[in-house]
Amino acid sequence: MTKPKRPLRKAPEVRPARAAGLKPLAKCPTGIRGLDDVTEGGLPRGRSTLVCGAAGCGKTLMAMEFVVRGARDFGEPGVFMAFEETVAELTSNVASLGFDLPSLIRRKKLAVDYVRIERSEIEETGEYDLEGLFVRLGTMIDEVHAKRVVLDTIESLFASLPNEGILRAELRRLFRWLKDRGVTAVITAEQGKEGELTRYGLEEYVSDCVIVLDHRLTNQVATRRLRVVKYRGSKHGTNEYPTMIDEHGLNVLPITSLGLSHDVSTRRVSTGIARLDTMMTGKGYWEGSSILVSGTAGAGKTSIATALLDSVCRHGGRCLFFSFEESPDQIARNMASIGFDLNRHVRSGCLQFHTVRPTLYGLENHLVTLHDLVDRWHPRAVVMDPITGLTSIGEPGEVKSMLMRVVDYLKSRNITTLFTSLTEGGAALEKTDISISSLMDTWLLLRMVESAGERNRILYVLKSRGMAHSNQIREFVLTDHGIKLTDVYVGRGEVYTGSARVVQESRDRADAIAAGQASHRRQREITHERLALEAQMQKLQSRLAELKQETTMAAKQERERDATSRHDTKGLARIRKADSDGAQEEGNNT
Amino acid sequence: MTKAASSPKSGTWDLKLYIAGYTPRAVKALENLKQLCEEHLHGVYTIEVVDLLRNPRLARGDQIVAVPTLVRKLPEPVRKIIGDLSNRERVLVGLDLRPR
C-alpha cells in the first residue's frame, strides 16, 4: 500500500455489491498502512469501532491517525475527544509523525477537546445525565461537519463518575446517538484483566467492530500485534498481524493475506560466478526467485551473496544488502579482498546497505523496515545475511512466518532474494535452523572439506526449482579476482580438494612423464641392440668373405705349388738324368 | 485545606448552574438550589443559570460533562456538584457549608 499524500483520495462510499440487490456494508478507510487491507476497506462507516488494548499499545495513536488521515487525506473532518491527554500534549505527541494538529484545527478540519473530570472536585447529589458531554460533542461535530469521531478513552468516566448505573445508560445512549448522527466513531478502551476485552465491558455497547492491539515481550524484544476480533457484516482477516509504529505512524503488516498468485518471470539473473551459472543451465538464478545459501562458518556465504549483488549492480540494477552481523565498511573491505568493489556500487547509487543487529528491534520492525526500503528503493535483488541471526529475537515459528512474508512480498515484486543461513557445526547440513528450505527455490550448499591437514570449500546445488541444474560438486576457491569454481579431483573413490588436488594432479603428471621416459629408453635399447647385431653380422659376413677369399687363394697357391713342384721334379730328373724307371717311380709318387 | 466550613458571610458566593434545556430535572435542581441558598447564603450569593442548548460552547470552559452541574466559582476552590441537588446534606457538604 502506498502512503496517502496530499491529493484527496476518494473514500469508497459503497463497495461493489457481491450479490445483486444487496448493499454491502460501506467502509470508511483509515489510511493506516495495512489496516485497510485487513479490514477489506476500512472501518464500518457510520458505526462505532472499539479499539482496545493494554497501556502503551498504540490505541491513541491509531485513533488519532484515523481522524487526522481522514481530515487530511480523505476530506472527512473529524472530532477528537480526549479524556486522558490535553490538547497540547496530543499536539506535541503526534507532531513527530508529521501531523500538524493546530493547522488542521485552524482550517476547521479537526476539533479537539479535552474532557477532564476530577473525582475529588465532584459531589454527586441526585439524578443527572451526560447531556453536557453530548452538547460538547455535538457542537464540535457541527463546527467542522465531522464525519469521524474519536472518544479516547471514554471509560475513564467510570473512574470519575460514581454512579455506574447512570453512566452505563448514558453510554448506551451516546453510542446510539453517534450512530444516529451518521459519524464513524472510534472508541478506545483499556484492556481488562484475564482475557476481558475491556475493563468496563464497553464491548457490550460498541460491538460492530472490535480491534485488539497487543504489545508483548518475547525474549526481551517488544512485539506489537493487531487483531480484528469482530466485524459485523464484513469479511476480515482474522490473524494476529504484526504491527509497528514508525515515523509515519502505525503500520499493520497484512502480508499473510497475500495469496500465492504472483506472476513469475522467465528471465534469469547471473549469479556473478561464471561456473555457477554453468551449473544452473548456463544462465543463473531465475529472476524473482528465492535463494538460500547455507553453510558452516567461513564457508563463503557472504561471498556468494556479494557475487550476485555485484552482477546485478553491473547491469545497472539496484540492490539492498541487509546485514545482521557486519557493518557496511567491513563488508566492503572484506569483499574488496576477493575482488568485489562494493563501494563503487554504493557511490553509483546501485547498492544500499542496511545493517542492524537483529536484536535492535522486533521481527515485525525488521519486516516493516524491509517493506519501507523496498518501496522506496525498488531493488532488483535483496540479500539478507544471515537470517540465522533472527532466531535470537523470535521463536523459530515466528521467524519462519516472517521470512515467508518476506519471500512472498519480494516475489510479488519480482525481486530476486538471497538469504544466507549459518549451519551450526555438527548439525545436519541439509537441515536449516529455521526449516525454511521449502520456501526457497534454489538452495546452494557450501561445505568445508577437511583433508591432508587443510580445510577447503566445496559447493553444490542442492536444489533449484525449474531448471536442470548440475549435480556436480565443485571446489569453491576465493581468489583476488573473485570467486572461482573448479572441478574437484575424483579418484579411487575419494574427493581431493585444495593442495591435495594439486598434489594429486602433479603426481599424475610426474607418473606420465616417467612412463614416457621408460618407453623411450626401451626403444633406444632395442635400437642399440639391433645396430650392434647388424654390426656383428657385417663383421661376420666380411670374415666369411675373407675366408672365402683365403680358401680361393690357398687353392690357387696349391695349384701353383704343384705345378712348380712338377716342373722342379722334371727339371731335377732331367738334371740327374735318371732312368725312366727311377723317373717312373718318382712320378708315381706325386 | 479548610477543616471548618466556609463562613457563609465571607464575601460573595458566585454559583453557576449548568443545564441543558429546562427539563424537569433542571427545574427541580434550580428550585432545590434557590431554596438552599436562601436558607444558608441569604444575600451573599448570585446564581447564574447556563443553558448549554443555547450556549453550548460554555460547557468546555468549566469542563461540564453531566447536567445539571452546579459550579461554585467563588469562593475558591472551585467545587462541582452534579445531579438534581435533591440530597440537601450532600449539597451542603459539596459546597463546604458542612464539614465533611
Side-chain angles (χ1 to χ4, degrees), chain A residues 112-117 120-133 135-136 139 143 157 161, chain B residues 20 25 52 56-57 59-60 63-68 79-87 90-91 94 100:
Chain A
V112 185
D113 190 8
Y114 168 54
V115 176
R116 185 182 59 95
I117 305 173
S120 58
E121 285 181 2
I122 292 226
E123 195 67 41
E124 189 195 45
T125 73
E127 289 187 4
Y128 58 91
D129 57 41
L130 296 187
E131 195 59 36
L133 191 72
V135 167
R136 286 166 80 167
T139 314
E143 232 169 45
L157 288 180
L161 297 175
Chain B
R25 192 179 290 149
L52 294 178
R57 275 159 227 282
R60 216 163 158 168
Q63 285 289 358
I64 302 304
V65 171
V67 286
R79 294 276 173 204
K80 283 182 191 165
I81 300 161
I82 58 175
D84 58 14
L85 311 177
S86 52
N87 186 332
R90 298 281 293 273
V91 178
R100 275 164 198 269

Side-chain angles (χ1 to χ4, degrees), chain B residues 8-22:
Chain B
K9 302 290 176 193
S10 62
T12 52
W13 283 60
D14 187 356
L15 302 173
K16 268 188 184 175
L17 184 68
Y18 286 89
I19 57 168
Y22 283 85

